[in-house]
Amino acid sequence: MGWVLGDSLGETVPSVFISGAGPAGLVLGNLLRAEGIDCVIAERRSREHVEQRARAGFLAANSVRILTRHGLAAGLEAAGRQHDTCAFRGEHGQFELKYSQLGRGEIHTVYPQQFLVRDLIGEFLDRDGEIRFGTSIAAIDAQQGEVTLDNGETLGARFVAGCDGRHGVSRQAVPGRTYRRDHGISWLALLAEAPPSMASVMYAIHPNGFAGHMARTATVTRYYLQVPKNTDPATWPDDRVWDELNLRMRADRYGALNQGPIIERRIVDMTSFVREPIQHGRLFLAGDAASLISPSAAKGANLALMAAEVLAKALSQAIKTGDSTLLDGYGAECLPRIWRAQEFSHWMINLLHAPSGDSEEAVFARSLQRARLASLQCSRAHQDFFAENYIGV
Ligand code: RFL
């Protein structure tokens, strides 16, 4: 496999240049290598950084199927944990939804994203893929298939896959619009060095705001606290975090949380966007580069994996046979799924958050929230709807 600097006239260029070594770029790279297609990934961060960057943890059944189908599931088969229950806690008590017995009866596998990224990098290198860590892309010419690095070098490729996430540059190379919604809500996303406090995912609704509990490993747990926008995470030392989590999780009624040092705290704003179109010339967007989805429904990494599989198939067809039918239809294949995930994520945001205060509007919103929760608690049809969307896309 070879790729060269300079313009691509008469020189060997990779068939596919991939920007970004996140779940989207790495799954795509692995699937292309399995087809014998040469590809190069450029990642602006170091290998150590991406292999330790904690983000997602909940992989939907379809994501596990994709990874298994392509021989990429050894790590999650060995260390992933099956998860099938979520619970809601509020002023009127608590109820659980065992979604393995609802909807399509599917489950999540809990496997931290950084472990998946580590596995995918190892496998890609074993498949003779090339990753250039510490290499940042400054611009992409989608028509020419040319990538400019931030040191000014220009590289050519037959196709470019924009998998550089929410802050990447590939989206700007696709003429179109970004449809964005700022939900006006922020979460303090926390990682605690403490075992999970309960077997299920917990969504707690409290007058002070939302609080969430999600298992990651036997010794690390993710928590979320809704906080005002522009909150400085440094204003939340460990003691304050645990006091507020115990309060919103109603520890006095249901038992105290397992505490430990907070090893990561960062603000996540609930914003969402969809880029349309997601392809232009030789450039195709996948994952967060194409669509950012708030983490309220744990969909982002799952969408990234699905797009990577669709794109790999389309690129393989075009490169091997010259038939671009699947590539031409790439956006039409992915966008309806993206919008469905956005719709459910939006539904979850409304379920989990309501304004505080005594204004008519705030009381109205909280009453709707209560009614939706009551329906979810009682109606089998509503539970099936929830399960189908929660676990799938
Ligand atoms: P990524 O993972 O952001 O990877 C993009 C990569 O591109 C690199 N990059 C560049 N490289 C070269 N040149 C440039 N100019 C570049 N600009 C950027 C970056 O360094 C990076 O390595 O995008 P990808 O592959 O599309 O994957 C998306 C997922 O990472 C994301 O959707 C999920 O993490 C979202 N998410 C969750 N998704 C789930 O499906 N289930 C979950 O449980 C879940 N939990 C979460 C989450 C996201 C969270 N945060 C931090 C927003 C929990 C949290 C707290």
Side-chain angles (χ1 to χ4, degrees):
M1 185 191 357
W3 69 317
V4 290
L5 307 186
D7 70 26
S8 53
L9 291 174
E11 298 186 48
T12 313
V13 296
S15 296
V16 183
F17 186 98
I18 301 172
S19 68
L26 288 165
V27 169
L28 175 64
N30 272 292
L31 269 52
L32 293 173
R33 288 302 305 136
E35 290 293 317
I37 293 169
D38 58 314
C39 59
V40 175
I41 301 178
E43 164 58 52
R44 84 182 149 127
R45 300 289 199 163
S46 67
R47 180 171 180 177
E48 296 68 38
H49 181 92
V50 296
E51 288 187 346
Q52 284 166 23
R53 191 170 49 194
R55 286 183 174 173
F58 277 70
L59 292 173
N62 193 48
S63 298
V64 174
R65 279 195 288 272
I66 290 172
L67 295 166
T68 305
R69 194 152 53 227
H70 300 288
L72 299 170
L76 71 89
E77 276 164 13
R81 289 185 301 153
Q82 301 203 329
H83 193 278
D84 73 346
T85 309
C86 66
F88 296 86
R89 204 174 262 182
E91 57 184 327
H92 298 299
Q94 165 178 317
F95 65 93
E96 279 189 359
L97 295 180
K98 197 173 177 65
Y99 45 88
S100 56
Q101 294 172 7
L102 297 165
R104 285 192 295 266
E106 295 190 312
I107 60 161
H108 281 115
T109 299
V110 182
Y111 191 59
Q113 181 170 322
Q114 67 273 28
F115 295 177
L116 178 65
V117 164
R118 180 200 59 200
D119 299 349
L120 292 170
I121 289 173
E123 189 62 35
F124 183 69
L125 297 176
D126 285 350
R127 294 179 184 188
D128 287 333
E130 181 183 345
I131 310 186
R132 292 194 164 193
F133 289 103
T135 301
S136 200
I137 293 161
I140 298 170
D141 183 328
Q143 293 293 1
Q144 300 298 321
E146 268 181 9
V147 176
T148 304
L149 304 183
D150 57 1
N151 64 7
E153 291 174 41
T154 302
L155 318 166
R158 268 182 86 184
F159 297 104
V160 182
C163 304
D164 46 9
R166 68 183 298 184
H167 299 300
V169 297
S170 60
R171 193 164 54 251
Q172 291 149 25
V174 177
R177 289 179 71 186
T178 302
Y179 301 97
R180 190 181 298 271
R181 171 165 290 190
D182 178 353
H183 302 280
I185 291 161
S186 297
W187 285 359
L188 180 63
L190 302 151
L191 277 180
E193 210 166 63
S197 297
M198 44 211 128
S200 63
V201 165
M202 178 59 70
Y203 300 107
I205 289 146
H206 188 275
N208 286 8
F210 165 75
H213 161 279
M214 276 146 221
R216 281 297 186 257
T217 67
T219 53
V220 173
T221 306
R222 191 175 269 299
Y223 286 95
Y224 294 113
L225 275 174
Q226 184 185 353
V227 291
K229 238 178 150 44
N230 302 320
T231 291
D232 177 0
T235 60
W236 283 88
D238 287 22
D239 285 353
R240 186 177 178 201
V241 163
W242 289 114
D243 286 351
E244 192 64 19
L245 280 171
N246 276 305
L247 179 75
R248 295 191 196 178
M249 293 274 175
R250 294 177 163 81
D252 54 344
R253 192 161 161 194
Y254 298 105
L257 303 172
N258 294 326
Q259 295 188 194
I262 302 296
I263 52 175
E264 190 185 294
R265 42 166 71 69
R266 56 180 295 190
I267 297 296
V268 178
D269 292 325
M270 298 288 115
T271 52
S272 309
F273 68 70
V274 179
R275 183 75 181 185
E276 288 202 26
I278 57 171
Q279 62 190 89
H280 178 59
R282 297 166 186 267
L283 173 62
F284 301 84
L285 306 179
D288 282 8
S291 164
L292 181 72
I293 189 157
S294 75
S296 57
K299 293 274 181 249
N302 293 294
L303 280 174
L305 264 53
M306 277 189 256
E309 190 184 46
V310 173
L311 185 54
K313 197 171 165 199
L315 286 168
S316 299
Q317 184 193 54
I319 291 164
K320 289 186 162 176
T321 70
D323 179 356
S324 66
T325 310
L326 290 177
L327 264 189
D328 295 342
Y330 171 67
E333 169 80 20
C334 291
L335 279 163
R337 188 183 297 127
I338 288 172
W339 279 113
R340 264 199 75 182
Q342 290 284 3
E343 192 278 323
F344 182 67
S345 168
H346 190 236
W347 184 92
M348 279 290 280
I349 287 174
N350 285 332
L351 183 74
L352 301 178
H353 309 91
S356 54
D358 286 336
S359 71
E360 286 179 14
E361 204 179 318
V363 175
F364 194 94
R366 284 204 301 279
S367 303
L368 290 183
Q369 182 188 42
R370 203 174 301 128
R372 187 177 280 189
L373 278 166
S375 171
L376 197 54
Q377 182 171 6
C378 305
S379 156
R380 172 67 200 235
H382 209 165
Q383 293 170 358
D384 284 333
F385 157 83
F386 172 81
E388 200 176 306
N389 284 278
Y390 189 61
I391 189 70
V393 186

